[in-house]
Amino acid sequence: MRDFITSQFGVSVVLAFIVINVLLGAVSYCIYFERKISAWIQDRCGPNRVGPWGLLQPIADGIKFLVKEDVVPNHVDKPLFIFAPAAIFLVAFIGFAAIPWGGQLELDGRLVNIQVANPDIGLLYILGVGSMSVYGAVLGGWASNNKYSLYGAIRATAQMLSYDIPMGLCILVVVLTMGTLRLEEITLQQTGYWAGWIPQWNIFLHPLAFAILFITALAESNRTPFDLAEAEQELVGGFHTEYSALKFGMFFLAEYAHMITASAFIAVLFLGGWHLPGVSWTQPQATQWYAVLAKIVVLSTKIIFFLFVMMWIRWTLPRFRFDQLMRLAWKGLIPITLALFVLAAALLFFDRQRSPLWALSGNLVILVVALITASSSRLRVTGRQVNLPTIAPATDFVRLGRVEMPL
Amino acid sequence: MSLSPSLDSYAAIGITILMVLVVIVAMLILAHFVGPSRHGPVKDSPYESGMPVSTDARRRFHIRFYIVAVLFMLFDVEVIFMWPWATVFHHAATTGATIPLETGGVAGKGFLLAGMGVFFALLLFGLLYEWKKGAFQWD
């Protein structure tokens, strides 16, 4: 038994159990922190009635989700209506399986990875699982047989599909730099130093790819400014208009779980995962249990930082219009990421893929060219594409008062 | 009990999926049995901001969404083709390894880069063509 627990497979199973439970708790508290941060930004108090500082609010919310009526209206497609929240919840909660949480741990003289699964195609796995969340949205919208739901679902689908392509290309830039799809290996390759003290994190090689990956992560998890799918003023609740009780809660939890997985993914790809420069416990050689704990704390801090930025953006920026959203993806991000891909391939060809000087200047050139192109009016990347005809002021129409009416 | 490391990984992913499925089934069953259940003609009709329902929701939608779906199929599949190329090219470029070809020769990093160049040019041409055709024009 002890032999099984200390083997890689046993550690994986135990870790999967722990992470699922921690994630379920974390998403509940994400909602609490979202409300607290929104209150802080808008100069309000936020939840403060249930427990000290409202800390028990997520539990109260959970109970309320549970005891509310689970309405299944009789106009819906029942199997799909039940399947949709399950689908979105499932894909949101299995993406973390390939995230390396804490390097390696020495157990009974063996080294085991603190990672649920370390498949050869870890990156592809996360990308694939992440893009599957579109099924939950489109099935929920279609099954609801409600116009708001259907339009929300179609918008969500178009948006997720469009932002999938720049996301894939940004990750491809990392693959070209690192040459591996294993996330543990990617973290390990980022633990070196330039000039003795600058950590070899990918953000210092491809900051533009990092920024675009963050933007696409916002779009993929339907967060503001990309939450067109549930634009309340236009579409009531979007694709989950007809859902209530715990099924609605599952959509809600899935969104936050998606955010956490995406943050962890970006932290691993671009910010060195569990690596913190200068601290000996967070180096790959440290395999004691306290070193693993330190690494988990470092990665969690990076995740919390990303979550905070996502919430900050949500309560600061207004929502895009739909044409702006699609234009940003197809005319903005895709050409830039294609250029980044060419840059990464060229750097690799000349064996400069780990040289920050070359990579950063390439990034700078791409950014400057993109800004100049976007601001030149001929190519029409931004702004209205079609000038609407100006409406002539009504001169010969009815005016109240003693003016004659045209007959 | 230990299979090959990679198979172990997939087994661990499978167990993760099973664990999440247990959570999902528990949530769905709880949601079904715990809350009250009261039906009514108004409650069971689709929500349309309080108005009587006019038509079925599943109507035709705009052609633009269809175009997005087709473009996604083209671009995303092309991007997926780049992934194996990226790992092979990285291997060839960093170690100087060559890949044997069916014709008998060997391909170095220059050949691989040129091959991707042709593929990439086609992709770029497609993007520019769609752009000129106005497929990305949304207003």
Side-chain angles (χ1 to χ4, degrees):
Chain A
M1 188 61 196
R2 184 172 171 80
D3 199 45
F4 172 70
I5 292 288
T6 57
S7 71
Q8 173 67 57
F9 189 66
V11 169
S12 293
V13 172
V14 173
L15 191 69
F17 183 76
I18 294 172
V19 177
I20 287 174
N21 284 294
V22 169
L23 214 54
L24 275 169
V27 287
S28 320
Y29 274 90
C30 264
I31 298 170
Y32 168 79
F33 282 112
E34 172 102 62
R35 292 175 65 183
K36 271 291 184 196
I37 287 170
S38 78
W40 179 37
I41 288 175
Q42 297 172 346
D43 203 9
R44 294 184 282 114
C45 284
N48 63 353
R49 294 287 123 179
V50 194
W53 306 288
L55 268 174
L56 298 178
Q57 185 71 40
I59 297 163
D61 286 346
I63 293 169
K64 199 133 193 179
F65 270 137
L66 198 59
V67 298
K68 286 290 167 185
E69 180 175 357
D70 180 28
V71 183
V72 183
N74 55 16
H75 59 275
V76 303
D77 188 332
K78 216 168 174 180
L80 290 183
F81 188 77
I82 296 169
F83 179 66
I88 203 164
F89 192 85
L90 179 70
V91 296
F93 274 80
I94 60 173
F96 71 83
I99 300 285
W101 294 101
Q104 288 188 314
L105 174 67
E106 193 178 335
L107 264 182
D108 286 0
R110 277 180 299 190
L111 285 176
V112 288
N113 284 331
I114 300 301
Q115 186 179 17
V116 175
N118 191 13
D120 299 331
I121 51 160
L123 264 177
L124 260 187
Y125 169 77
I126 292 197
L127 187 72
V129 167
S131 10
M132 265 164 68
S133 65
V134 72
Y135 284 105
V138 76
L139 284 177
W142 176 261
S144 294
N145 201 356
N146 177 319
K147 286 167 198 127
Y148 294 119
S149 300
L150 186 64
Y151 292 154
I154 291 172
R155 278 189 183 187
T157 314
Q159 172 186 330
M160 286 185 195
L161 296 189
S162 302
Y163 281 84
D164 230 31
I165 301 166
M167 181 180 236
L169 283 165
C170 280
I171 298 168
L172 203 59
V173 169
V174 176
V175 176
L176 277 173
T177 313
M178 298 276 143
T180 176
L181 298 179
R182 283 174 179 268
L183 287 156
E184 181 69 39
E185 183 94 22
I186 288 174
T187 313
L188 284 177
Q189 287 195 28
Q190 294 182 69
T191 52
Y193 295 96
W194 287 303
W197 62 280
I198 306 171
Q200 289 190 342
W201 294 354
N202 282 332
I203 187 173
F204 300 122
L205 288 172
H206 290 286
L208 212 49
F210 165 75
I212 292 175
L213 188 62
F214 184 70
I215 292 170
T216 56
L218 281 178
E220 291 273 317
S221 47
N222 274 328
R223 295 284 300 181
T224 320
F226 301 102
D227 64 341
L228 272 289
E230 42 194 302
E232 289 87 358
Q233 295 87 344
E234 305 158 24
L235 290 175
V236 190
F239 56 85
H240 46 58
T241 303
E242 291 283 325
Y243 283 91
S244 56
L246 215 49
K247 288 206 191 81
F248 171 71
M250 284 165 86
F251 278 110
F252 217 61
L253 295 180
E255 181 188 324
Y256 284 91
H258 203 284
M259 275 165 64
I260 293 177
T261 311
S263 305
F265 187 47
I266 299 172
V268 169
L269 284 190
F270 282 97
L271 288 183
W274 37 257
H275 177 243
L276 191 68
V279 182
S280 59
W281 285 3
T282 62
Q283 303 307 319
Q285 302 86 348
T287 53
Q288 303 89 343
W289 63 269
Y290 48 85
V292 168
L293 278 185
K295 287 173 184 176
I296 292 173
V297 168
V298 168
L299 182 57
S300 308
T301 312
K302 289 172 184 173
I303 293 173
I304 289 168
F305 170 73
F306 279 123
L307 288 177
F308 174 70
V309 174
M310 283 177 176
M311 292 173 185
W312 184 12
I313 287 174
R314 170 161 179 189
W315 296 102
T316 307
L317 294 181
R319 193 179 284 136
F320 277 129
R321 219 169 46 212
F322 199 72
D323 61 310
Q324 294 172 329
L325 173 102
M326 298 308 279
R327 205 185 306 142
L328 176 65
W330 289 97
K331 298 187 178 176
L333 298 185
I334 289 179
I336 293 177
T337 44
L338 285 175
L340 280 171
F341 170 74
V342 173
L343 171 71
L347 287 175
L348 183 56
F349 185 75
F350 295 110
D351 211 18
R352 295 276 188 279
Q353 77 273 16
R354 303 300 287 275
S355 138
L357 196 65
W358 285 91
L360 279 178
S361 21
N363 269 271
L364 192 68
V365 168
I366 289 172
L367 186 65
V368 168
V369 170
L371 287 177
I372 291 173
T373 319
S375 53
S376 78
S377 60
R378 203 177 60 80
L379 281 158
R380 296 258 177 212
V381 179
T382 55
R384 252 189 194 283
Q385 314 263 301
V386 180
N387 289 323
L388 295 176
T390 48
I391 299 162
T395 49
D396 49 336
F397 278 107
V398 189
R399 273 197 218 127
L400 292 177
R402 268 163 289 167
V403 182
E404 292 170 27
M405 282 175 65
L407 289 172
Chain B
M1 161 164 184
S2 186
L3 308 161
S4 79
S6 197
L7 273 181
D8 255 8
S9 286
Y10 294 117
I13 290 176
I15 286 175
T16 311
I17 292 176
L18 281 181
M19 285 178 185
V20 179
L21 277 179
V22 169
V23 175
I24 289 171
V25 170
M27 282 175 111
L28 286 177
I29 290 175
L30 276 177
H32 187 73
F33 287 109
V34 172
S37 179
R38 286 183 287 268
H39 285 268
V42 177
K43 199 178 196 175
D44 283 347
S45 66
Y47 177 75
E48 284 203 29
S49 307
M51 303 296 284
V53 180
S54 52
T55 52
D56 191 61
R58 286 153 193 173
R59 299 163 71 193
R60 289 182 292 178
F61 49 81
H62 203 287
I63 183 79
R64 283 166 181 168
F65 293 105
Y66 179 77
I67 293 176
V68 168
V70 172
L71 288 178
F72 169 74
M73 290 303 291
L74 295 175
F75 280 95
D76 213 45
V77 170
E78 281 176 354
V79 169
I80 286 300
F81 276 132
M82 292 174 178
W83 285 64
W85 173 83
T87 49
V88 172
F89 181 59
H90 189 278
H91 183 64
T94 48
T95 63
T98 50
I99 290 102
L101 295 174
E102 280 183 22
T103 51
V106 288
K109 62 177 183 176
F111 183 87
L112 288 169
L113 190 71
M116 183 41 75
V118 173
F119 186 76
F120 189 82
L122 285 173
L123 179 68
L124 203 63
F125 176 75
L127 184 75
L128 291 176
Y129 177 75
E130 295 294 343
W131 195 325
K132 277 286 165 206
K133 274 283 179 189
F136 308 138
Q137 202 153 337
W138 278 79
D139 55 351

